[in-house]
Amino acid sequence: MDAPEAGSLVRAAYAAVREAVLTRELRPGERVTVRPLSERLGISPTPVKAALAILEREGFLVSRPHSGYFVAELTVADLRDLYELRSAVDTLAARDLARSRPPELLARLGELLDGQRIALEDGDIGRYAELDREFHALIWQASPNRRLLAIADLLGAQLQLGQNVTVSVPGRPEASLGEHREILDALRSGDTAAAEQATRRHLAQVIRALETALPQ
């Protein structure tokens, strides 16, 4: 097997396992074993092992001596740390977007907020959360800093391990929607300081909701 083919197999295994973790096909705390994965994907165990090692470094899996890999179980402290990092990354991205203000992207952000409002009216929290992730992802993608996008994507994916936590806090989705509107208003106005402040306030409220919802 040549190097390009081996790399392609590792990427395929990585993508498949990460998706299974994020969709909770593989549940937090569940053991992740090489052979069933290699058989399911139709590839040898070697690229699967390499993919699991990458996922461990990224925080999706944990390795236990003599037991193998397990899906990470995030504590409230883990989630707080991740959200604090997200706050820094999101603030930088919001500042960049407030400077550039591409009309089509700002229009799409408005559409996403309308979609979130409708989802809340319909009681569709799953749809609301999906649109929430897309809202933030679009802001990241507007930044010219390519490393920011990679870091934000990783943090966002890790936070999906603790999904459905903050949205379960009574009143939190509605409050979050209002905070998103404040962010969008600042972005549209081109006020970089206001965009940074609105983003920072939003993530601070998410952290507070998280601490309310989970035992310390």
Side-chain angles (χ1 to χ4, degrees):
M1 183 185 303
D2 58 28
E5 182 182 357
S8 177
L9 292 175
V10 172
R11 287 191 295 273
Y14 168 89
V17 177
R18 178 171 134 150
E19 180 67 13
V21 169
L22 294 181
T23 59
R24 300 207 166 198
E25 178 184 342
L26 291 170
R27 307 284 296 179
E30 184 174 343
R31 188 178 182 185
V32 182
T33 51
V34 172
R35 186 164 298 282
L37 284 171
S38 65
E39 292 174 352
R40 170 183 154 189
L41 298 172
I43 60 178
S44 72
T46 300
V48 174
K49 290 177 183 176
L52 297 185
I54 295 170
L55 288 161
E56 181 197 13
R57 290 196 297 272
E58 292 185 347
F60 295 100
L61 304 178
V62 294
S63 177
R64 297 175 187 167
H66 313 299
S67 298
Y69 291 102
F70 295 79
V71 178
E73 297 179 275
L74 297 185
T75 66
V76 64
D78 293 327
L79 291 168
R80 186 191 301 113
D81 289 346
L82 289 169
Y83 272 116
E84 287 176 350
L85 290 172
R86 264 283 305 276
S87 180
V89 170
D90 282 24
T91 299
L92 176 58
R95 184 191 69 191
D96 288 341
L97 180 52
R99 286 174 174 161
S100 60
R101 289 187 294 167
E104 290 184 3
L105 192 147
L106 292 175
R108 177 56 184 159
L109 290 174
E111 291 171 358
L112 291 173
L113 295 192
D114 289 341
Q116 283 190 295
R117 176 182 54 78
I118 293 169
L120 287 179
E121 290 172 353
D122 293 343
D124 190 346
I125 295 300
R127 177 62 177 162
Y128 168 87
E130 178 184 332
L131 294 173
D132 179 274
R133 290 192 293 270
E134 186 176 349
F135 178 85
H136 288 285
L138 276 181
I139 295 176
W140 304 336
Q141 290 163 17
S143 174
N145 188 326
R146 294 302 90 190
R147 288 180 174 83
L148 180 149
L149 180 58
I151 292 169
D153 178 67
L154 176 59
L155 291 172
Q158 288 183 347
L159 285 169
Q160 279 188 249
L161 295 174
Q163 67 183 344
N164 299 326
V165 175
T166 58
V167 293
S168 68
V169 177
R172 180 59 207 152
E174 292 80 4
S176 182
L177 180 56
E179 292 156 14
H180 283 174
R181 293 201 179 281
E182 289 181 3
I183 293 171
L184 182 54
D185 287 344
L187 294 174
R188 284 171 169 163
S189 72
D191 188 333
T192 57
E196 290 179 355
Q197 291 164 7
T199 301
R200 194 174 292 113
R201 282 195 300 270
H202 171 55
L203 271 299
Q205 291 300 324
V206 172
I207 293 172
R208 289 192 184 95
L210 174 71
E211 292 172 339
T212 299
L214 293 176
Q216 299 297 307

